[in-house]
Amino acid sequence: MRAAVQHRYGPPSVLESSEIEIPMPGRGEVLVRVGAASIHPGDYFIMTGRPYVVRLVFGLRRPRNGIPGRDLAGVVAAVGKDVTALRPGDEVFGWSTAGTLAEHACVPVDNLVPVPANLSLAEAAAVPTSAMTALQALRNIAKAQPGQTVLITGASGGVGSFAVQIAKALGAEVTAVCSTRNVDLVRSLGADHVVDYTTADFTRTGQRYDVILDNVEAQPLSAVRRALTPTGTLIPNSGHGGRWLGPIGRIITAHVLSGFTRQQLKPFTSVETRDDLLTLADLLATRQLTPVIDRTYRLDEAADALRYIGAGHTQGKVVITL
């Protein structure tokens, strides 16, 4: 099978289009014929090995898994022993730690759910990591609810575009922060108010919010806190930062400050669960959630796709189609 493979950390040029053996599903696994796979900034950081702290998890000298990608949608090609919930021919979407930028991927059965009937494989592939991050941040961490005001920075990006819709589904009043070219997009996703960061600074408008999901972290914590209510919740959610520790410095600062203020400063790391994927599938099926796809690329264009991700400013998700 064809796959995008890397043998060392580096820029997108380290990716090679290679022929490798089709993996065999183990006990409790499913072999998926990949129809589409989405990528996000985390995939870019793992590919480059920067910030260097990612190498502690993914391999010190080179990536332990040479195939990038985590999210996928496709058709079940074969099932391993003891798998009864899925059968060959089923359309599924979910996530895999084995790499998804390939024609086939082995996935634990608990990491997959059926594709809603109203979604294409490309749309389904765009969902898992980014939408689950938005869901867990707003529902589990911030506990957003009707009547609350929620501000989302990076509202037109991968996580942000899902977050706007999920906050609305939770009943919140949503303010989206984006650039001029994305104002119409975030309004179409349900944002009640829009702040164009090219002409206004949300930390200086005098408006305060119950919840801020900061997907950009372009402002100091002290400035963002000015836009929080006295007991509001700030969730920093960005992988940016120095080349050694990335966002860890900001995370430590947030934890320390939390001990001296009534405001809740809560960095978090999302953890994929099947229950949350089923929740997202329900939101998709009822059209409360719609994936935004910026660009699609072929598998042999994976390097270009990751280069585009690395440049920032995507509108929604970037998807590889096979």
Side-chain angles (χ1 to χ4, degrees):
M1 70 171 185
R2 289 183 305 132
V5 178
Q6 67 176 112
H7 300 289
R8 60 187 175 88
Y9 291 116
S13 58
V14 301
L15 289 181
E16 303 172 2
S17 182
S18 302
E19 286 286 337
I20 62 175
E21 290 187 4
I22 297 175
M24 297 296 293
R27 183 187 296 268
E29 289 187 329
V30 170
L31 179 67
V32 177
R33 185 170 71 250
V34 180
S38 69
I39 52 177
H40 56 89
D43 297 315
Y44 183 84
F45 299 144
I46 294 169
M47 176 191 68
T48 61
R50 292 192 179 189
Y52 292 129
V53 69
V54 306
R55 303 187 186 204
L56 296 177
V57 178
F58 297 101
L60 291 178
R61 294 187 176 182
R62 64 182 63 86
R64 293 191 187 94
N65 177 30
I67 301 175
R70 190 172 181 87
D71 299 342
L72 83 166
V75 178
V76 174
V79 299
K81 188 176 180 181
D82 298 335
V83 174
T84 58
L86 294 172
R87 297 179 299 177
D90 290 345
E91 287 193 345
V92 292
F93 75 112
W95 73 96
S96 172
T97 58
T100 59
L101 299 191
E103 291 181 320
H104 292 83
C106 281
V107 187
V109 66
D110 289 339
N111 292 12
L112 298 167
V113 301
V115 174
N118 60 324
L119 253 62
S120 67
L121 291 181
E123 290 171 321
V127 173
T129 296
S130 294
M132 211 170 299
T133 298
L135 177 68
Q136 293 177 3
L138 293 168
R139 183 197 61 188
N140 300 1
I141 307 301
K143 295 178 171 55
Q145 55 192 283
Q148 286 192 319
T149 54
V150 174
L151 180 136
I152 298 163
T153 70
S156 61
V159 173
S161 59
F162 286 117
V164 169
Q165 299 174 78
I166 289 170
K168 288 299 296 180
L170 293 171
E173 180 180 338
V174 180
T175 297
V177 181
C178 65
S179 64
T180 306
R181 75 185 184 105
N182 294 318
V183 168
D184 290 341
L185 169 63
V186 297
R187 287 196 187 280
S188 74
L189 298 176
D192 299 291
H193 315 284
V194 180
V195 176
D196 179 348
Y197 69 74
T198 67
T199 60
D201 181 347
F202 76 88
T203 69
R204 297 183 179 278
T205 63
Q207 179 69 45
R208 290 194 166 199
Y209 303 90
D210 298 305
V211 176
I212 297 177
L213 175 57
D214 190 359
N215 296 305
V216 179
E217 300 183 17
Q219 306 273 20
L221 281 173
S222 57
V224 179
R225 287 178 56 204
R226 287 200 303 264
L228 267 185
T229 60
T231 58
T233 299
L234 166 62
I235 304 175
N237 177 52
S238 172
H240 298 293
R243 65 175 181 170
W244 289 95
L245 296 179
I248 289 180
R250 189 178 177 98
I251 289 171
I252 292 172
T253 301
H255 279 302
V256 171
L257 287 174
S258 289
F260 299 93
T261 176
R262 294 166 61 204
Q263 294 173 328
Q264 302 296 308
L265 311 182
K266 294 187 174 182
F268 88 112
T269 300
S270 64
V271 177
E272 293 96 337
T273 70
R274 189 171 190 274
D275 285 344
D276 283 348
L277 194 59
L278 286 168
T279 295
L280 293 170
D282 287 341
L283 291 172
L284 292 160
T286 56
R287 302 187 187 279
Q288 296 179 76
L289 196 62
T290 301
V292 176
I293 296 178
D294 184 345
R295 296 186 183 185
T296 60
Y297 292 83
R298 301 187 310 270
L299 181 59
D300 60 4
E301 297 173 320
D304 292 333
L306 280 156
R307 191 173 292 111
Y308 181 59
I309 284 281
H313 304 294
T314 60
Q315 290 181 310
K317 297 291 295 181
V318 173
V319 175
I320 306 291
T321 56
L322 289 86

